[in-house]
Amino acid sequence: MNELNTAVLVIDDEEMVRDNIEDILVPQHQSEEQSYIDSAMDILFDTQKPLLTRTRNFPSFTVEKASNGMEGVKKVQQAVQSGKPYAVIFLDMRMPGWSGLETAMEIRKYDVKAEIIFITAYSDRSIDDIVEQAGQNVGYHCKPYAPEEIIQLATKAVTDYNRLRNLERLIESISNIGWKRNQLDSLLKNILDQLAGSIDTDMALIGKLHDNFTYEKVLSIGALEEKVNLSELINRVKNTPIGNNEVVQIDELVLARLDSYSVFAILKKQERLKTEKMYLLKLFVQNAAQAIRNAELNEKLMQQEKLSAVGQVIGMVMHDLRTPIKNIRLITDLVREEGNGSELIDLIDRSAEQASEIFDDFLDFIKDTPVHKSPVNLLAAVNEAVKMAEGREGVESISIHIDIPETLTIAADESKLRRAISNLVNNSIDALYNYSVPNAQVAIKAEVNDNKALLTIRDNGPGIPRDIIKTLFEPFVTKHKSNGTGLGLAIVKQYITAHGGNIEVSNDSGAVFTITLPID
């Protein structure tokens, strides 16, 4: 538990004011002589002792004083250098030499976190003027003042200062802890909740803004997504000039960004945030983004370790099974040579070939085998992939539409491309059949755009569950499937990436897989 910082600095050219504020915040203890007199009176008159010891209901302040701005700034500089900064600075507005405003501006060169409270008998400066020149982390109170007002101002300022320091330490710690993603999301949500409270809003979220300005929510608090037009919000973000590692406020929108991660906050009132709170938003984004990256890297490392162990076992098993599977084709060829060929033999051949390709898929994935490109007719590759699904359960009740130009040719590894497409088609067939979708359809379409082939595989099934759509292409991610290894889509992703392409998934009245492949 960090000790409460209750250090106060009073900068005023009037000694009486300096001493008065000190006497208010640090009441002088009664003298030793007075204590003896009080004890004697208690004995003589048998005064009853109180049952409860009376305590102050405000912090135990420590107070230092400076008679002018230059002396005050020097004290601030020394306090920061020694690691014991002031929590609160009471500052007179009119002083010989540096004015209070000039002093505040100098203080901010060394300390942007201290709560500055102007105490002045003159109201010739509006709070807006002060904020504009001295920064937003300031308060303002007019003389004459009552002792209770000084205590109240100092207590609130110390409370705010220490609450924000504790939040700051918590924020700084999150990027250095090895969290699992679900644990991290819970912690970030809690911190975001506290941070939102400090800037007086109940709606905020962490989002990831991709290069094409599509929006991906990481987490949120409040009813932001229900009350705010997200399309309009993204447009505002797109049109907001903000550099990396910056925080800006435009009207009620506060935006902080680091790389692709952003924090949006919608304020209840269109008031300028104090510098301190803008700083905390910036700090939160920095550490939250780093923590998310760390969690993602940690999960990928665990997946790789898991995959490596599984891969070694699978590799040994497949190595042993590969030869007998491939020998099936030799046996069927011998049967045909003896004149005993039939459709049943052809089916055995196709089954053996598919089994062999499945083995090849796993082994290629584990070894990250490079692709070998050659000109491939995309329509022919898709037709072959669809043909491979002919014996799949439920395929007879599903309508498959193919819309691909006959002459569309791309540079690809034909076997790997065909198997990737086959995997996606099989997934669609399984989803449509398992959910008994009426009028079940799979639509496969390709077109050329900017010297790239855009291939979409779309079905009218239930779509991808929201809780796995972001991690769908990672190993061992599967849901509501009675069969499958959880590696199929990871293999597809690896194949497409190896071709220099990209694959994305979305839901649009069913699952939509979009593959982009270079033509050359």
Side-chain angles (χ1 to χ4, degrees), residues 437-502:
V437 176
N439 192 29
Q441 297 180 18
V442 177
I444 306 172
K445 182 178 180 179
E447 58 186 359
V448 177
N449 185 10
D450 194 22
N451 203 38
K452 292 181 179 180
L454 195 67
L455 177 67
T456 58
I457 300 174
R458 175 191 298 267
D459 64 54
N460 62 339
I464 309 298
R466 289 186 61 183
D467 58 338
I468 66 169
I469 194 167
K470 291 193 296 184
T471 58
L472 191 64
F473 296 108
E474 295 178 6
F476 310 114
V477 174
T478 184
K479 190 170 186 178
H480 302 320
K481 287 193 72 174
S482 57
N483 53 23
T485 62
L487 285 175
L489 290 177
I491 293 171
V492 171
K493 171 76 171 179
Q494 186 190 74
Y495 284 178
I496 298 303
T497 302
H499 279 84
N502 184 49

Side-chain angles (χ1 to χ4, degrees), residues 8 75 88 118 143 149 171 221 223 377 443 446 466 492:
V8 176
K75 283 182 174 292
V88 187
F118 286 100
K143 298 176 183 177
E149 292 175 324
I171 291 171
I221 61 167
N377 182 281
R466 289 186 61 183
V492 171

